[in-house]
Amino acid sequence: MRPRLLVIAAFLAAVSAFAGAVWWYGYGAGLDQLEQRARSDLALASDSLTSELRRMREVAVLTADHPQLPPLLAGAVEAETVRPVLQEIADKTGALDIVLADRDGRAVLTTAGAPRINHSGRAHFARALDGALGLSHLVSPAYGRRTFVFAAPVFSDAGPVQAALIVYADVETVEAAWRGARPAVFFTDARGLIFLSNRSELVLRPRLHDQASGQLTPFVHYDAQTVGGHEVWRLDAGRYLPRRALHLTLDLPVIGMVGEVLLDAAPARQIAFLQAAVAAAICLTFGLLLLVATQRRRTLAMLNTQLEQRVRARTVELTVLNADLRREVAERRAAEALLQKAQDELVQAGKLSALGQMSAGISHELNQPLMAIRSFAENAQNFLSRDKPEVAAQNLGRISELARRMGRIISNLRAFARQEDEPPKDVDIVAVIDAVLEMIGPRVAQEGVQLHWTRPAAPVMVRGGEVRLQQVILNLVSNGIDAMEDSDPKVITITLAAEGPLTRVSVRDTGPGIAEPEKIFDPFYSTKAVGAAEGMGLGLSISYGLVQSFGGAIRGQNHPDGGAIFTVELQALRQEAAA
């Protein structure tokens, strides 16, 4: 017993290890797919940001060439004359503010009316004075919000830069288009500070721990690990960020930032868990089958050993008795003759017993024809004695018809009882239905069921097995009668229709219908009462397999006018084949 437990424990450990390997592989494959999506989302967010900043950069460059700026800087016109023009540009482009600053950094003109600050010493201003386009981002104290700043040089007619045109772009305007969208995306600058994001709780947090300032809200707590070459974060940051997320980065040197994305890794984990569960289930099933086979083999070996022991013991006994048997040859031969006679009598008795059982089974169906035959025979004798041979002939004709009917019943029962294992062949479905109705006729009459069946005049040939089709139709009709036990009226309707390459046989009842049509062909599913003589729930499942075995189909559903209807689709015999 203990070695067996050790083997089972080792097998379970191996299954666990295999399931873990499947989980790890599935998790890595799922992360590969998530990485493609994450890169696409990050690229889309980055393109949206750079497109908006590119638009503001073009506003700065084009406005710096405005013809009214040089006269303003030369003192030829007043600032109030030019302000409406720049204000209109700011309103149409969505700029937060447009500022004109001289070479000393003093604001000559501002459209938003913000406090005039000195821009000298700012990186973007210094770059503009060098004749290039300056770009920086900052939390502006003048506006109280995060801004992107573009500074374009304003050239004099002689050539040197005489001023800088500064355009402020509101970061919240850029974020508004994708705030709250999935996945979480944020952009960090060279200092490691998150400057903008579609998650407001991440804004202005130091992304890098070693550069965190005491005046800033610290970054969310996370643990990074590498899974299949992917960086996965385990986060503790509230409900708006995933607990486990795939982390990717994208350098954006044009704006001096790094885009980062956190994509929920839960789908990859769920798929990996599902794959691991399926793999473990398959291994456990295989192991259980192997255990059962091993146990069966061990049992067979034990029984074989016991049998061999009994054979050896019997051989010893037979060896001892062999001498005595030689002396009793004559008596044995006589005994063998008697034994042979007894065996023949037993065989004959078995045949009579089987005949008695069959007679008991079909006596109910043959009783009425036999009584009618007796009555017609007596009437024929009376008519012959009265010299009425024509009437006696009629009675004899009825006796002949009843005898044919009895022969047909017995033939149908014998055909139905035999085991059929032949491949599908051409079968007359009309004859099959007739045979079924003749077999189930007594029950139909006993249950008070009205049976509607319009028999076609010509045979309808289909591909199938005669006995198997009888079993299917008989099962459907019997189920219909069972379903109508408490119904009134009780009607069974059988229809036959040919549509192209298919022939459809429909059996409809007027019972309560099917409670769960999608389960009717499941094994052991039954709507009959628990404890009833019938109701194992295998009839429709077996019928489904029989119809499938010769390329047909069967389905059941509730009829719109009440009751249930079952339809069997069979392959019709092609006309050229029939010809």
Side-chain angles (χ1 to χ4, degrees):
M1 187 66 181
R2 186 174 181 181
R4 185 184 301 178
L5 293 178
L6 293 177
V7 171
I8 293 176
F11 176 73
L12 293 177
V15 170
S16 301
F18 178 69
V22 171
W23 181 89
W24 188 260
Y25 176 80
Y27 190 26
L31 290 177
D32 290 338
Q33 298 180 357
L34 289 180
E35 180 180 2
Q36 298 179 5
R37 175 184 166 189
R39 291 195 182 280
S40 177
D41 292 338
L42 180 57
L44 183 63
S46 301
D47 291 343
S48 176
L49 174 61
T50 55
S51 297
E52 182 66 20
L53 297 182
R54 188 181 300 110
R55 189 172 64 86
M56 288 299 174
R57 181 185 65 183
E58 293 174 355
V59 170
V61 173
L62 295 176
T63 306
D65 293 335
H66 200 281
Q68 293 190 11
L69 297 184
L72 175 62
L73 294 172
V77 296
E78 296 292 333
E80 296 302 324
T81 303
V82 182
R83 179 178 288 108
V85 177
L86 298 184
Q87 182 65 55
E88 182 179 4
I89 295 174
D91 293 340
K92 290 182 177 181
T93 60
L96 179 64
D97 194 5
I98 298 179
V99 178
L100 181 64
D102 59 16
R103 288 188 62 85
D104 296 329
R106 295 187 300 271
V108 178
L109 175 63
T110 178
T111 61
R116 299 190 177 187
I117 59 176
N118 194 297
H119 296 272
S120 60
R122 302 287 178 88
H124 58 271
F125 182 75
R127 185 167 175 80
L129 292 183
D130 291 337
L133 179 66
L135 168 64
S136 63
H137 58 275
L138 51 87
V139 181
S140 175
Y143 306 101
R145 60 184 64 194
R146 292 165 294 138
T147 60
F148 277 98
V149 185
F150 295 90
V154 179
F155 295 95
S156 64
D157 295 337
V161 177
Q162 58 179 343
L165 183 77
I166 305 172
V167 176
Y168 287 85
D170 189 0
V171 172
E172 293 185 0
T173 302
V174 180
E175 289 177 338
W178 37 280
R179 180 176 290 125
R182 294 180 182 272
V185 179
F186 52 92
F187 296 86
T188 58
D189 57 18
R191 300 170 298 170
L193 185 68
I194 299 177
F195 192 69
L196 74 162
S197 172
N198 60 355
R199 297 291 187 273
S200 58
E201 61 269 23
L202 296 179
V203 173
L204 297 182
R205 289 192 176 193
R207 166 68 177 81
L208 304 178
H209 293 291
D210 58 346
Q211 295 187 12
S213 172
Q215 299 177 352
L216 298 175
T217 304
F219 191 63
V220 296
H221 177 72
Y222 72 94
D223 294 325
Q225 60 179 345
T226 301
V227 179
H230 304 281
E231 184 179 0
V232 179
W233 286 8
R234 244 173 33 170
L235 297 157
D236 184 13
R239 60 179 180 176
Y240 296 107
L241 291 175
R243 296 183 62 85
R244 282 184 176 85
L246 176 65
H247 175 249
L248 296 177
T249 61
L250 178 64
D251 290 332
L252 302 174
V254 175
I255 59 175
M257 291 189 174
V258 176
E260 301 184 52
V261 63
L262 293 175
L263 183 61
D264 192 0
R269 293 176 61 85
Q270 293 174 356
I271 294 176
F273 276 122
L274 181 60
Q275 293 173 341
V278 171
I282 294 175
C283 292
L284 291 176
T285 302
F286 175 77
L288 179 60
L289 294 176
L290 184 61
L291 178 63
V292 171
T294 303
Q295 183 66 27
R296 184 176 180 182
R297 182 177 180 182
R298 183 176 302 170
T299 302
L300 291 176
M302 184 181 301
L303 293 176
N304 186 45
T305 301
Q306 295 177 358
L307 181 60
E308 289 178 352
Q309 292 175 353
R310 292 179 182 178
V311 169
R312 285 194 294 269
R314 185 60 177 168
T315 302
V316 172
E317 294 177 1
L318 292 176
T319 303
V320 174
L321 294 175
N322 187 36
D324 297 335
L325 291 175
R326 291 176 180 176
R327 291 190 300 268
E328 301 174 357
V329 171
E331 296 178 3
R332 178 67 62 184
R333 289 177 179 176
E336 287 179 355
L338 294 175
L339 178 62
Q340 183 64 41
K341 182 178 179 181
Q343 288 178 345
D344 293 340
E345 292 177 353
L346 288 176
V347 170
Q348 185 64 24
K351 291 180 180 180
L352 293 176
S353 176
L355 181 58
Q357 291 177 358
M358 288 191 297
S359 298
I362 65 176
S363 62
H364 180 74
E365 297 182 13
L366 299 180
N367 186 40
Q368 291 181 351
L370 287 173
M371 293 179 64
I373 289 173
R374 178 181 178 182
S375 177
F376 284 130
E378 292 175 353
N379 290 339
Q381 288 178 349
N382 292 332
F383 284 124
L384 288 174
S385 64
R386 296 177 186 177
D387 196 18
K388 294 182 179 180
E390 66 281 356
V391 181
Q394 293 178 1
N395 286 348
L396 292 175
R398 293 175 182 174
I399 292 174
S400 177
E401 179 62 29
L402 289 173
R404 281 195 296 270
R405 177 185 172 189
M406 293 171 62
R408 191 166 58 250
I409 292 174
I410 295 174
S411 176
N412 288 336
L413 291 174
R414 291 178 61 190
F416 186 77
R418 76 173 187 268
Q419 182 71 22
E420 181 184 59
D421 55 1
E422 298 178 355
K425 60 182 180 180
D426 299 339
V427 178
D428 182 8
I429 189 62
V430 177
V432 169
I433 297 175
D434 288 341
V436 170
L437 297 184
E438 189 147 22
M439 285 186 286
I440 205 169
R443 186 184 176 190
V444 170
Q446 181 182 359
E447 299 288 343
V449 176
Q450 303 177 30
L451 199 148
H452 296 166
W453 156 238
T454 303
R455 186 181 187 279
V460 178
M461 306 303 294
V462 297
R463 295 293 293 174
E466 181 178 359
V467 176
R468 286 176 284 177
L469 283 177
Q470 287 181 6
Q471 184 175 353
V472 172
I473 302 300
L474 182 63
N475 188 37
L476 296 181
V477 176
S478 299
N479 284 351
I481 296 175
D482 293 339
M484 298 187 299
E485 181 179 1
D486 299 325
S487 300
D488 188 19
K490 301 179 180 180
V491 181
I492 293 288
T493 303
I494 302 177
T495 58
L496 184 61
E499 299 180 8
L502 297 178
T503 296
R504 291 185 173 88
V505 181
S506 298
V507 179
R508 180 194 169 194
D509 60 64
T510 57
I514 307 171
E516 298 175 297
E518 69 280 359
K519 293 183 179 181
I520 56 176
F521 295 112
D522 292 347
F524 303 107
Y525 174 77
S526 177
T527 59
K528 299 176 184 177
V530 177
E534 303 291 340
M536 288 295 291
L538 291 174
L540 288 177
S541 179
I542 293 174
S543 298
Y544 183 87
L546 291 176
V547 175
Q548 290 280 336
S549 67
F550 39 77
I554 182 172
R555 63 178 182 273
Q557 59 188 1
N558 290 318
H559 195 276
D561 297 332
I565 181 169
F566 287 83
T567 302
V568 179
E569 294 183 349
L570 304 170
Q571 295 180 5
L573 181 63
R574 294 178 297 180
Q575 295 298 328
E576 57 271 17

